[in-house]
Amino acid sequence: MSKVLDGIGASEGIGAGRVHILNWGVPEVPHRSIDSDEVEGEVEHLREVFEWAKKRLLDIEDSTEERLGAIEARIFEPQVLMLDDPELIEGATLYIRENRLSAARALDWRILEIQAKWSRTAHPMVLDRLNDLQDLQVRLLHQLLGLPDPTDVSSLGEDVIVITRNLTPSLTVQFDPALVLGIAADQGTRTAHWVMLARSLGIPTVCGMGVVSEQARAGQEAIVDGRIGRVVLDPDEHDRSLFRERETQILAWEDELESIAQLPSITADEQPVELRANLDMPGEAERARLHGAQGVGLFRTEFLVVGRNQMPGEEEQYQAYRSVAEAFPKQVVTVRTFDLGGDKFPMFLHMPAEENPFLGWRAIRVCLDEPELFRTQLRAILRASAHGDIRIMVPLVNDVEEIRQVRELVEEEEERLRRDGIPFNSGYKLGILVETPAAALEAVELARHSDFFSIGTNDLTQYTLAVDRTSARLAKLFNPFHPAVVQLLNSVSRVAKSAGIEVSVCGEMAANPLGVFLLLGLDITTLSVAWPSLPEVKKMVRSFRMEDARRAAKAAVAAPTSREVVECLVKGIGGSVDLSAFSGRWNLPTSH
Ligand code: PEP
Ligand code: MG
């Protein structure tokens, strides 16, 4: 019997192969006391192993830079810094000298102490750091004990699905996407470093699964679907045929990709629809362009801060924003200001532990309280605006006052640039993400102060329904087709229309076939989706008539339950789109 397990779909694509359980645990370290004449030898041994680890990390950093780019390579910096941190090496040296412990035992103790100290803060911010530290611990202790390095994954074999408790950036980056066809992990979120790397490598990934490493057995067959966040262990004939269908579709799409990218993005009755891309890293811009993106509707900038020990400099940010602007010379590039907090925490900000981080110090609230961080980003975005149609988009706005404050800061930075004779485009647009019920209900006021709206349906759904977007347990309740969400979407769209400003949607809903149909029917004709979804969304758009979408959306807005919303949409699409081809990949709310 096949076993189906769900988690967070974190890297697009589907892969099938043989399970390799990656157990890269911490080795058992025997207690060993040493004689006084061994002390200096052990201290030297420890120092040599640190040197070795540093060299290895720097090699991985170099090869990452070569394969994936400079920004991806920088995620190894915190680990390199940890190796230089006296708290670690000097602490362990002291235990060798004063307690006469072997180098391995001394280091083991020191790391346990640091882990306990960090864990006591019970803060998600330290999770990435603990993850980095554990990676070092495994590598250093194996080396000190003369054991083979379990993080050396050079002999994994072919057609492998890696299943593990958790991964680290340095492990992930060693995976060859031609051999590792999928990853499934108990832990991890979309913004974990290793997950971002898996995405850059194009390896289908499902994370945050809770139990997959306990349920899977080495050598068994598995399918990983990174889009819907599903792993099938011991797939049966039905699962295999779904997999083959999906794989064939992806392969056919890849062939079709170029031609679809060239096709105009219009409905069957020739209404234009603007399709833009969501990017997590600048390196994705080129692929987004090849997938037919008409600009960037959401450039998430947290990659510049999460996991870093230091605030990113203006120059580095400017280069990153500029590179995306240059990939889309004649199109809109919407840079979202830092959306920190929630599930994204930079080390250098020392964010407070909060009971409900998604309701806490997040996004624009953080930026307005940290003007140095925010001003540097605004300045870098303004400078990049000299190279294209760059827009500034502010997340989690609830209040006009917040937009006023942002405008003031941007204007001050404009003034400084002018004084310094640095070019920028003074005609840039400044808009907001509508992602709380408060913003949706205050849309009339907010529209007076915004140049555009983009609706973040991921957060809008989370906050409207009070359903944590990261909870696998609540995934079934996370329903953007809930009548409350549909009504908010409808009203924001109407407000934007009458205010004469652009409204788009950049949440996951815009990549869902029923979502596309509904949104177009609500007159939201600019959509921004993760770039791999662009051809599929364009195909959808081209297959139905705007007239039908409007009629169905009108009925959906009046529908009293989620089930009836979905029924209106399914009926409205009628025979023009084969929804059964989608239902397996999307948790489309069913009609019962
Ligand atoms: C959203 O909330 O819908 C959105 C697009 O932003 P993010 O997913 O980055 O929160
Ligand atoms: Mg959001």
Side-chain angles (χ1 to χ4, degrees):
M1 260 260 291
S2 65
K3 185 176 272 174
V4 177
L5 300 168
D6 288 328
I8 303 166
S11 171
E12 288 273 342
I14 191 161
R18 192 178 40 77
V19 169
H20 176 96
I21 307 269
L22 191 63
N23 230 334
W24 50 280
V26 181
E28 199 56 44
V29 182
H31 182 83
R32 190 166 77 82
S33 301
I34 53 170
D35 295 332
S36 56
D37 60 350
E38 288 178 280
V39 166
E40 289 317 309
E42 286 298 290
V43 170
E44 184 55 20
H45 188 31
L46 184 73
R47 207 189 50 73
E48 280 169 9
V49 168
F50 267 65
E51 282 304 313
W52 165 86
K54 191 161 167 186
K55 180 169 178 319
R56 206 171 152 215
L57 265 176
L58 292 174
D59 286 347
I60 298 177
E61 196 173 342
D62 281 351
S63 69
T64 307
E65 179 158 355
E66 234 166 68
R67 289 168 61 201
L68 299 170
I71 284 168
E72 283 80 355
R74 287 200 61 172
I75 59 182
F76 296 99
E77 280 178 8
Q79 279 193 352
V80 176
L81 287 172
M82 272 181 202
L83 284 172
D84 286 331
D85 187 349
E87 194 183 2
L88 189 59
I89 188 156
E90 281 171 21
T93 306
L94 208 69
Y95 285 144
I96 300 175
R97 292 223 157 95
E98 295 193 350
N99 300 60
R100 297 276 162 84
L101 293 176
S102 68
R105 191 71 185 149
L107 182 68
D108 195 30
W109 264 36
R110 187 63 199 134
I111 289 180
L112 285 175
E113 273 177 355
I114 295 175
Q115 281 168 335
K117 186 169 107 189
W118 288 356
S119 306
R120 265 199 302 278
T121 67
H123 193 288
M125 181 189 99
V126 300
L127 287 181
D128 274 340
R129 276 185 98 187
L130 282 168
N131 194 219
D132 282 341
L133 180 64
Q134 194 185 9
D135 187 32
L136 285 183
Q137 181 185 24
V138 170
R139 186 166 303 158
L140 292 166
L141 288 178
H142 276 84
Q143 187 71 7
L144 281 168
L145 295 167
L147 299 170
D149 182 358
T151 65
D152 180 0
V153 291
S154 52
S155 56
L156 274 184
E158 285 186 12
D159 293 354
V160 170
I161 299 290
V162 170
I163 296 195
T164 179
R165 261 187 322 100
N166 202 3
L167 277 175
T168 64
S170 56
L171 270 172
T172 312
V173 83
Q174 295 174 62
F175 294 157
D176 179 347
L179 306 176
V180 176
L181 306 185
I183 301 173
D186 296 345
Q187 295 170 26
T189 62
R190 276 188 67 85
T191 51
H193 292 150
W194 73 259
V195 177
M196 298 207 277
L197 268 179
R199 251 200 314 271
S200 295
L201 286 165
I203 303 177
T205 300
V206 182
C207 61
M209 302 200 66
V211 290
V212 69
S213 71
E214 283 166 33
Q215 307 256 333
R217 277 175 294 103
Q220 99 188 112
E221 213 184 317
I223 297 174
V224 170
D225 190 334
R227 171 174 293 185
I228 63 166
R230 178 162 295 172
V231 173
V232 185
L233 299 174
D234 282 333
D236 58 22
E237 209 24 65
H238 175 70
D239 300 317
R240 281 200 206 101
S241 79
L242 273 181
F243 165 74
R244 279 192 295 269
E245 214 175 275
R246 172 89 176 107
E247 202 184 30
T248 316
Q249 218 171 35
I250 290 176
L251 287 175
W253 269 334
E254 271 166 15
D255 288 344
E256 237 185 303
L257 202 80
E258 245 170 81
S259 57
I260 293 185
Q262 311 298 327
L263 289 176
S265 175
I266 48 172
T267 59
D269 48 356
E270 301 198 347
Q271 300 289 315
V273 174
E274 180 96 356
L275 290 184
R276 298 180 187 152
N278 293 352
L279 306 182
D280 287 308
M281 297 252 189
E284 295 168 288
E286 198 46 37
R287 280 178 287 175
R289 211 176 52 73
L290 293 174
H291 277 65
Q294 297 165 279
V296 175
L298 167 64
F299 180 16
R300 295 184 172 99
T301 55
E302 295 77 43
F303 71 92
L304 286 160
V305 271
V306 174
R308 297 280 186 91
N309 291 25
Q310 283 173 352
M311 220 168 79
E314 179 183 315
E315 190 58 28
E316 183 191 357
Q317 292 192 55
Y318 161 65
Q319 294 299 347
Y321 307 147
R322 176 182 170 168
S323 71
V324 176
E326 285 175 346
F328 293 94
K330 294 202 174 70
Q331 287 156 325
V332 168
V333 170
T334 316
V335 181
R336 178 175 72 183
T337 57
F338 296 134
D339 186 9
L340 301 169
D343 60 352
K344 290 171 266 186
F345 304 91
M347 292 177 199
F348 58 83
L349 265 190
H350 307 296
M351 302 186 79
E354 291 176 297
E355 290 288 330
N356 297 297
F358 273 113
L359 302 181
W361 198 47
R362 191 187 161 192
I364 188 56
R365 304 167 189 178
V366 174
C367 284
L368 289 176
D369 285 351
E370 295 288 335
E372 198 196 337
L373 172 76
F374 197 29
R375 280 179 188 277
T376 307
Q377 180 174 42
L378 293 174
R379 215 174 137 84
I381 301 176
L382 284 173
R383 282 176 59 196
S385 73
H387 304 277
D389 185 1
I390 288 218
R391 296 180 174 184
I392 304 175
M393 179 159 75
V394 187
L396 209 75
V397 166
N398 265 345
D399 208 290
V400 165
E401 199 44 48
E402 287 160 335
I403 312 178
R404 272 212 196 101
Q405 288 181 49
V406 174
R407 273 205 196 275
E408 239 167 66
L409 288 171
V410 184
E411 281 161 16
E412 282 171 26
E413 290 313 311
E414 278 184 66
E415 204 36 57
R416 280 183 56 199
L417 288 174
R418 245 179 238 118
R419 266 202 320 267
D420 297 345
I422 299 173
F424 66 96
N425 167 22
S426 57
Y428 67 86
K429 287 194 158 80
L430 191 150
I432 63 163
L433 264 163
V434 176
E435 44 189 358
T436 64
L441 294 168
E442 272 295 282
V444 173
E445 263 319 299
L446 295 172
R448 288 205 180 103
H449 301 264
S450 310
D451 299 326
F452 63 90
F453 281 167
S454 186
I455 310 178
T457 48
N458 305 336
D459 277 314
L460 186 63
T461 306
Q462 152 165 279
Y463 293 125
T464 304
L465 304 181
V467 171
D468 185 338
R469 60 188 275 186
T470 62
S471 164
R473 169 170 279 187
L474 298 181
K476 279 205 182 70
L477 297 179
F478 188 87
N479 182 359
F481 298 100
H482 188 289
V485 180
V486 174
Q487 279 165 49
L488 291 178
L489 288 168
N490 182 38
S491 115
V492 174
S493 168
R494 281 163 178 267
V495 169
K497 275 253 132 48
S498 56
I501 61 171
E502 180 190 279
V503 59
S504 61
V505 164
C506 62
E508 297 291 313
M509 184 180 194
N512 174 316
L514 285 185
V516 175
F517 191 58
L518 172 66
L519 296 172
L520 296 200
L522 294 175
D523 271 332
I524 301 173
T525 52
T526 300
L527 304 177
S528 191
V529 298
W531 57 268
S533 302
L534 283 164
E536 190 180 343
V537 173
K538 192 188 278 183
K539 249 187 138 165
M540 271 297 293
V541 164
R542 292 177 57 86
S543 66
F544 57 66
R545 297 164 57 82
M546 197 65 163
E547 209 180 284
D548 296 333
R550 289 214 173 97
R551 197 173 315 115
K554 198 164 171 213
V557 168
T561 63
S562 315
R563 181 171 62 81
E564 282 151 289
V565 168
V566 170
E567 274 171 9
C568 294
L569 299 173
V570 171
K571 193 165 141 229
I573 287 187
S576 62
V577 178
D578 176 14
L579 276 179
S580 66
F582 292 100
S583 55
R585 302 198 308 277
W586 284 100
N587 282 326
L588 289 181
T590 51
S591 40
H592 18 256

